[in-house]
Amino acid sequence: MSRTLRRWLDVVPYLGLAVAILLGSWSFMRSEHYREETDILLMQSYEVQWRGSQIRERLANIVGLLRLSMATGDREPQLAQEVGLLQFNMVALRNLQYIDHFLDPQDFARLDQSIQTIRTRVLPNLSAAANDQETLSLLTDIQQDMFQVSGTTGAHSRTLNETAHIAENALRNVAIFVLALSAVIVVGVIIHQQSMMARRKDQQIRSFSSLFAHMTRSRVVALALFIKSLRDGEAPDPEMVAAASRAAAELDSINNGLVKIAYSAKPTRTVALQSILDALSQDHGGRIQFDVPEEARAALVASPQFHLILDELIRNAEQAVAAAGKPDSPVVLRARLTRRFPFGRRLVLEVIDNGLGMSRAVRAKAAEPFFSMRAGSHVGLGLTGCAEMVKALGGRFRIESAEGRGTSVRILYPLRRETGTTGQAGPASA
């Protein structure tokens, strides 16, 4: 799996969480919008139902008054007023801006025909008692049509209200689902982080195991040879005794150094890169050429890990330069700050030499466990230990080299975004 793909896979849970939160927010807002639309529909429905009830009430009053007039022979004075109110309510219902949401085309036709009948036939007939029977028949027909119209408006009101409630409930369910999905994603992110921490713990154990094996292998061999050389009644060879004593002292030094690393590998133990550069300059005299801007010198890095790593890389570079017959050629230590995907910064450190360099085959094995290009009394990490320790700190380790042209070892180390200090990586963050 490529590094870019791994980066995207690390980001995917956070993108999913952001999308889920946005979708949930949108669902809640849409649900509120539908609730407002439902309230508006309810108000419109009440208006239509109220107008319809007024029309039916006026029709009942007019029919009653007309029959009373026909039975007594006396014209009721409020009859014309009631017909006028009936016409007003029917016209008001017809002119409602949203009435087309509640009436079918045939109901519009019934309403228009009833209004026309009242205007052209009912109102003129009220002036002559002889037309009361015809007027009563016309009003009865209008009454039937208005019952049809009222039934349609009621059915449409219920349908629209139910539709709005269903849409509101559907969006509410979507919002609940999105919240549940967000909770799942959050749990997934937590599990992902715990998995990364567990992998880094495992990386720490493997890096220290490889480091210990690399640094103790030759010393254990020296002690084993010394033990084999011992014979009953014979004094041991002074050179073998000296080698065994030296190996024991070096093993003790290695153990003390590893214990120090193990207990100091915490994010709270950080120092400015400048202090490590000063120590390296003192240890290696003037053989190091520093190319480090001020902002990089102020970056906080894990200590003493970085001192051990850079010291080992510089020693390797010095030996490569000496082996190439260029003892006066300096080793370059370069550092700079760059942007880190998807946000934040990282410190890029390079140790560059123009020594012997490495072939492609040697370069491929340079950071493998138990691989070494040199022997001797130097108690160092080796490229294997450097690579493993950088990985344990959450960084990356790269080697670029060409045979006869020199080597460049690059370390990419993540920094905290807010303070420039080290990120929780490797054993420190596990």
Side-chain angles (χ1 to χ4, degrees):
M1 186 182 297
S2 66
R3 291 173 179 171
T4 303
L5 180 58
R6 285 200 301 268
R7 290 180 183 179
W8 278 110
L9 290 178
D10 289 341
V11 173
V12 164
Y14 301 97
L15 291 178
L17 180 60
V19 171
I21 292 174
L22 291 176
L23 183 58
S25 301
W26 176 84
S27 298
F28 275 121
M29 288 187 293
R30 292 298 298 172
S31 178
E32 180 66 17
H33 173 72
Y34 277 118
R35 188 190 64 78
E36 293 175 356
E37 285 190 347
T38 302
D39 292 341
I40 293 173
L41 284 173
L42 286 173
M43 294 173 60
Q44 293 174 351
S45 175
Y46 292 152
E47 173 73 11
V48 171
Q49 293 297 322
W50 182 80
R51 291 290 180 186
S53 66
Q54 288 292 308
I55 292 171
R56 292 194 302 272
E57 182 180 346
R58 297 299 174 191
L59 278 169
N61 289 339
I62 293 169
V63 170
L65 290 172
L66 189 58
R67 284 179 175 170
L68 181 61
S69 297
M70 292 171 63
T72 60
D74 295 330
R75 177 67 65 189
E76 293 293 331
Q78 69 267 33
L79 186 59
Q81 181 182 359
E82 288 292 329
V83 174
L85 291 174
L86 172 64
Q87 183 183 14
F88 172 79
N89 280 287
M90 294 176 71
V91 172
L93 177 63
R94 180 64 180 83
N95 291 335
L96 289 175
Q97 294 181 351
Y98 44 82
I99 191 62
D100 55 335
H101 295 160
F102 297 88
L103 291 183
D104 294 332
Q106 59 269 28
D107 295 306
F108 277 116
R110 292 190 184 99
L111 184 58
D112 291 337
Q113 183 181 357
S114 298
I115 295 172
Q116 184 68 19
T117 299
I118 292 173
R119 182 181 297 116
T120 60
R121 300 183 65 181
V122 174
L123 284 174
N125 285 349
L126 292 178
S127 60
N131 298 327
D132 285 352
Q133 187 62 45
E134 180 185 359
T135 303
L136 181 61
S137 177
L138 292 173
L139 291 172
T140 302
D141 292 339
I142 292 174
Q143 199 171 26
Q144 292 296 325
D145 288 341
M146 289 302 98
F147 275 115
Q148 291 285 341
V149 171
S150 296
T152 303
T153 57
H156 275 268
S157 298
R158 288 191 295 272
T159 301
L160 290 173
N161 291 334
E162 288 297 328
T163 301
H165 280 299
I166 289 171
E168 181 183 357
N169 292 332
L171 273 179
R172 186 177 292 111
N173 290 336
V174 169
I176 293 173
F177 170 76
V178 170
L179 288 177
L181 180 62
S182 301
V184 171
I185 294 176
V186 168
V187 173
V189 170
I190 294 173
I191 294 174
H192 175 72
Q193 292 292 335
Q194 290 178 341
S195 176
M196 290 181 61
M197 293 170 67
R199 288 198 302 269
R200 286 177 177 173
K201 282 184 178 180
D202 180 66
Q203 182 71 35
Q204 175 195 8
I205 294 172
R206 288 188 289 109
S207 66
F208 280 127
S209 298
S210 174
L211 175 63
F212 186 81
H214 175 85
M215 297 173 67
T216 59
R217 180 179 52 186
S218 60
R219 284 83 194 172
V220 172
V221 170
L223 290 175
L225 290 175
F226 173 72
I227 293 173
K228 289 182 179 180
S229 68
L230 295 177
R231 293 182 178 83
D232 293 337
E234 296 184 8
D237 187 341
E239 292 185 3
M240 295 295 292
V241 173
S245 299
R246 190 166 53 251
E250 290 173 353
L251 285 174
D252 184 63
S253 175
I254 291 170
N255 285 331
N256 290 335
L258 290 179
V259 169
K260 184 179 181 182
I261 292 173
Y263 284 95
S264 66
K266 301 183 183 298
T268 53
R269 181 68 186 276
T270 56
V271 297
L273 180 63
Q274 178 65 58
S275 64
I276 295 178
L277 299 182
D278 292 340
L280 292 173
S281 178
Q282 183 177 359
D283 292 342
H284 297 270
R287 297 187 298 275
I288 305 176
Q289 179 179 323
F290 295 101
D291 180 11
V292 185
E294 289 299 324
E295 61 174 1
R297 292 175 181 268
L300 301 182
V301 296
S303 175
Q305 293 93 320
F306 260 83
H307 185 276
L308 294 172
I309 292 169
L310 293 176
D311 180 73
E312 178 65 16
L313 295 179
I314 290 170
R315 289 181 185 276
N316 285 343
E318 289 174 342
Q319 186 182 43
V321 168
K326 305 174 183 178
D328 297 328
S329 180
V331 175
V332 178
L333 197 159
R334 182 178 298 161
R336 65 183 185 277
L337 298 180
T338 63
R339 291 292 175 184
R340 182 166 61 96
F341 178 89
F343 50 79
R345 297 187 305 168
R346 65 184 175 188
L347 175 66
V348 180
L349 287 162
E350 289 182 272
V351 176
I352 306 169
D353 68 70
N354 60 349
L356 291 176
M358 292 181 280
S359 64
R360 180 177 298 180
V362 173
R363 187 172 67 251
K365 296 180 180 180
E368 291 182 0
F370 309 113
F371 180 82
S372 178
M373 293 183 59
R374 63 189 175 98
S377 61
H378 170 58
V379 182
L381 304 181
L383 287 178
T384 300
C386 292
E388 293 297 325
M389 188 173 291
V390 169
K391 290 179 182 178
L393 291 170
R396 285 184 289 165
F397 189 86
R398 296 177 181 175
I399 300 175
E400 296 178 4
S401 183
E403 196 168 7
R405 298 178 59 183
T407 300
S408 170
V409 180
R410 182 179 301 175
I411 298 170
L412 294 89
Y413 182 66
L415 302 174
R416 285 188 187 275
R417 183 180 181 184
E418 65 275 11
T419 62
T421 57
T422 60
Q424 290 186 357
S429 66

